[in-house]
Amino acid sequence: NKVKHNVIIITSPDSICWLLNMRGYDLESTPLVFCKVIFSKSELKLFVDTEKVPKNLKLMNKLKILDINNFEIELKKISRKAKILLDSKTSYFYFDFMTSLGLKPEIIEDPCKILKSQKNKIEIKNTRKAHIWDGVSLVKFYTWLDKQKFDSNLDEVNVASKLEKIRGENKNFFSNSFPTIS
């Protein structure tokens, strides 16, 4: 299918991180980067907190990194004649802002939503690997726990810290996906 639109705007950080294969620390227990993107046929503008971007980051062609505070400024630069797709998760504030500028965005379902839900062979393979690595960490944790003397030092906080420490010993560990429920 040929795209009949000049601009696509996505404001959902989980979709953008998936699409650009980015990871970050903007949200505890979730490797998200707070960001927004404006795609055109000639470039991709990624809006993030530029203070957090590594100085030695190599960028793919046509990718521009701009400070997230410049998102509205860049929206103002879009031609009034542009055919714009805007993901439905976008805040009404931005929709209203764009229409006040004379832009006419067409609301669409997040284009990444279906794609990221369909796992390819590599994603399935790596999901299995991640479960095996975490399984090894859990076996080490349960072995440690089984050898402990149950006293007041063995509380929920200390046990959860020990589990995270054991998981952290795995070179592939990034972060917990949620705080430990003891």
Side-chain angles (χ1 to χ4, degrees), residues 2 7-9 13 20 42 44 47 51 70 73 104 111 142 145 157-158 169:
K2 272 197 162 190
V7 177
I8 299 174
I9 299 171
L20 300 178
S42 61
L44 185 155
F47 299 86
E51 294 292 316
N70 293 333
I73 293 167
K104 296 176 182 156
Y142 291 134
L145 184 61
V157 173
N158 290 335
E169 292 170 0

Side-chain angles (χ1 to χ4, degrees), residues 30-119:
T30 306
L32 284 182
V33 176
F34 293 140
C35 56
K36 298 171 177 57
V37 292
I38 299 175
F39 291 96
S40 69
K41 292 180 181 182
S42 61
E43 65 187 350
L44 185 155
K45 294 178 182 176
L46 172 65
F47 299 86
V48 296
D49 179 349
T50 53
E51 294 292 316
K52 296 179 180 178
V53 177
K55 302 300 178 219
N56 61 349
L57 182 67
K58 293 189 184 206
L59 302 177
M60 59 187 208
N61 232 0
K62 299 184 181 187
L63 173 65
K64 287 186 178 179
I65 295 181
L66 302 166
D67 193 272
I68 197 148
N69 295 316
N70 293 333
F71 184 65
E72 291 171 38
I73 293 167
E74 292 297 316
L75 289 175
K76 289 178 182 179
K77 294 178 182 179
I78 298 173
S79 166
R80 304 305 166 258
K81 295 178 181 179
K83 293 183 179 180
I84 304 165
L85 294 176
L86 181 65
D87 86 81
S88 62
K89 299 289 185 209
T90 300
S91 163
Y92 180 76
F93 172 84
Y94 291 116
F95 175 80
D96 189 50
F97 180 73
M98 292 171 70
T99 56
S100 75
L101 296 172
L103 299 171
K104 296 176 182 156
E106 178 185 332
I107 305 298
I108 59 162
E109 194 64 37
D110 180 341
C112 299
K113 190 175 179 180
I114 296 295
L115 294 172
K116 70 181 181 174
S117 71
Q118 299 169 345
K119 304 302 178 207

Side-chain angles (χ1 to χ4, degrees), residues 25 133-134 137 163-178:
Y25 299 96
W133 294 327
D134 194 54
S137 296
L163 176 56
E164 185 169 355
K165 182 178 180 251
I166 290 172
R167 282 180 166 145
E169 292 170 0
N170 180 321
K171 68 179 171 60
N172 298 300
F173 177 76
F174 184 82
S175 71
N176 286 325
S177 56
F178 54 86

